[in-house]
Amino acid sequence: MSKKISLTRYLVEQQRVDGLIPGQLRLLLEVVARACKRISFEVNKGALGGVLGSAGSENVQGEVQKKLDIIANEVLIEANEWGGHLAAMASEEMEGIYVVPNRYPQGEYLLLFDPLDGSSNIDVNVSIGTIFSVLLKPHDHPGVTTEDFLQPGAKQVAAGYCIYGPQTILALTVGDGVAMFTLDREQGSFVLTDENVRIPEDTKEFSINMSNLRHWDPSIRRYIDECLAGEEGPRGKNFNMRWIASMVADIHRILSRGGVFLYPWDKREPNKPGKLRLLYEANPMGWLIEQAGGAASNGHQRILDVEPTALHQRVSVIMGSKNEVDRVAQYYAEAE
Ligand code: AHG
Ligand code: MN
Ligand code: MN
Ligand code: MN
């Protein structure tokens, strides 16, 4: 039987081999993984744990919060605040940053997260997840401010997600490719199950919410119409479509077998560049996709190069198989 490599052993070996994971970052990643394990157990209780349904409150995004949005947020804060590896946290579910209280030692990392992604799927037993991103706190001043979080995605030192589906799987990058770990529920530990995730440059599978078709930018409409035209059309091949409405599940599929995920700007909210949030959805997912050989664009530039100006700012998202992402960007360029 092949030896089981735990997340801890993987992180220690990565730290020893290429120093990509300083001790404090390894501790942070292990704490986040433990928090995700706890969230997975809460998710799996479902109706038996009283975790389903709405919490009756609204978050800064203007979304009605689900009980699990709040539970997952609290699990991540409680797990991380006392460890001494973090200076502050930011979350989809909190308007401002959460600075580690003075009674605890402050670390040099910033943790950003979408504690529960795919909230509309919680009550219908469809895969959901947690997305996280790690930045270094700037050293040029004491304390920590919101501005410290406003770094482009290219500055991330770690990024990942945990998907709560038939298996609970943690995907992680620290800049040396993408590894995946499956939760061994008997041992209660994450075990390395894929060490070199690669996305094929071509695909026949696109992922978009088709109900927004009438609101799309013409370049998106052109791209999807060509996919729908099948092998008689200009693409000369038949495409398939998947839309799970949990970004974690759609991106996990793309990391597993290729595809292109699109949540582009549309005219429903013309003043917003898109629905998905840059700092804790598009940046971490974009880095994972790039580290697996894919591309991540907002249609006009690399997502990881976007200079953030606000904690909860949104961004247009096209990411996955490189040749498809490049084609969409080309259509936008031709329309300018
Ligand atoms: P969240 O549940 O964290 O608010 O994110 C939901 C996002 C993303 O997970 C998914 O791809 C998208 O919303 C689905 O949007 P639609 O419901 O408009 O399809
Ligand atoms: Mn939400
Ligand atoms: Mn989300
Ligand atoms: Mn969320």
Side-chain angles (χ1 to χ4, degrees):
M1 169 167 111
S2 66
K3 64 177 181 290
K4 284 186 172 182
I5 295 183
S6 68
L7 173 66
T8 299
R9 175 170 173 179
Y10 175 85
L11 295 176
V12 167
E13 285 176 352
Q14 287 280 338
Q15 178 184 355
R16 188 167 52 231
V17 164
D18 53 21
L20 266 179
I21 310 183
Q24 286 296 307
L25 179 59
R26 176 163 63 82
L27 172 64
L28 193 171
L29 294 173
E30 288 187 308
V31 169
V32 170
R34 221 170 11 256
C36 290
K37 184 167 60 173
R38 169 83 194 287
I39 295 167
S40 174
F41 291 147
E42 292 302 322
V43 168
N44 287 172
K45 288 177 191 167
L48 303 177
V51 301
L52 302 182
S54 166
S57 47
E58 209 177 83
N59 64 14
V60 66
Q61 327 284 339
E63 301 164 337
V64 173
Q65 290 177 304
K66 299 281 192 174
K67 288 176 187 166
L68 262 181
D69 283 325
I70 296 173
I71 292 166
N73 193 61
E74 286 166 358
V75 167
L76 281 157
I77 287 178
E78 283 160 20
N80 279 288
E81 64 180 347
W82 50 269
H85 47 277
L86 274 184
M89 296 178 244
S91 164
E92 177 199 344
E93 303 304 334
M94 297 188 299
E95 181 161 5
I97 64 170
Y98 180 89
V99 179
V100 167
N102 289 332
R103 62 181 178 280
Y104 299 128
Q106 286 226 347
E108 59 176 1
Y109 292 106
L110 304 176
L111 178 66
L112 303 93
F113 47 83
D114 174 358
L116 205 293
D117 174 66
S119 303
S120 66
N121 282 324
I122 291 171
D123 297 343
V124 295
N125 197 25
V126 168
S127 297
I128 49 183
T130 297
I131 308 170
F132 61 91
S133 170
V134 183
L135 295 168
L136 264 175
K137 184 179 88 69
H139 287 102
D140 56 359
H141 59 270
V144 55
T145 64
T146 301
E147 284 62 41
D148 293 333
F149 283 81
L150 304 184
Q151 302 178 38
K155 295 274 192 182
Q156 293 174 99
V157 294
Y161 62 77
C162 193
I163 180 168
Y164 312 120
Q167 302 97 46
T168 288
I169 295 178
L170 181 82
L172 175 69
T173 186
V174 291
D176 184 28
V178 177
M180 290 195 183
F181 304 81
T182 302
L183 180 63
D184 175 343
R185 290 186 176 281
E186 285 139 28
Q187 298 286 326
S189 59
F190 282 101
V191 176
L192 182 68
T193 42
D194 199 332
E195 190 161 15
N196 183 26
V197 176
R198 302 304 295 167
I199 300 176
E201 294 199 338
D202 292 305
T203 182
K204 292 183 185 177
E205 199 158 66
F206 68 89
S207 184
I208 194 166
N209 182 335
M210 291 296 288
S211 71
N212 299 324
L213 185 147
R214 65 188 180 284
H215 307 304
W216 292 339
D217 178 288
S219 301
I220 295 293
R221 180 66 191 266
R222 173 184 173 193
Y223 173 75
I224 298 295
D225 282 348
E226 287 183 0
C227 290
L228 295 173
E231 53 196 18
E232 296 77 38
R235 300 302 310 276
K237 53 185 178 179
N238 292 325
F239 279 76
N240 187 27
M241 195 278 283
R242 285 284 181 275
W243 185 252
I244 303 173
S246 294
M247 186 184 194
V248 171
D250 283 315
I251 297 299
H252 185 72
R253 184 192 57 254
I254 288 168
L255 283 167
S256 305
R257 69 182 190 211
V260 57
F261 174 92
L262 305 96
Y263 210 121
W265 169 94
D266 68 48
K267 58 177 186 273
R268 287 176 296 168
E269 297 193 83
N271 301 324
K272 288 183 181 171
K275 170 177 183 179
L276 300 179
R277 284 59 58 124
L278 175 64
L279 291 184
Y280 40 80
E281 287 176 317
N283 275 344
M285 291 311 211
W287 198 26
L288 285 163
I289 290 282
E290 285 193 356
Q291 282 290 310
S297 166
N298 66 0
H300 306 285
Q301 74 179 112
R302 183 183 178 227
I303 282 178
L304 298 190
D305 290 337
V306 174
E307 284 292 341
T309 53
L311 204 53
H312 300 290
Q313 80 180 63
R314 295 161 186 253
V315 68
S316 179
V317 172
I318 300 112
M319 56 172 74
S321 293
K322 185 176 178 334
N323 292 341
E324 294 303 312
V325 175
D326 291 350
R327 176 182 290 266
V328 175
Q330 177 198 328
Y331 290 0
Y332 271 110
E334 288 169 5
E336 275 168 13

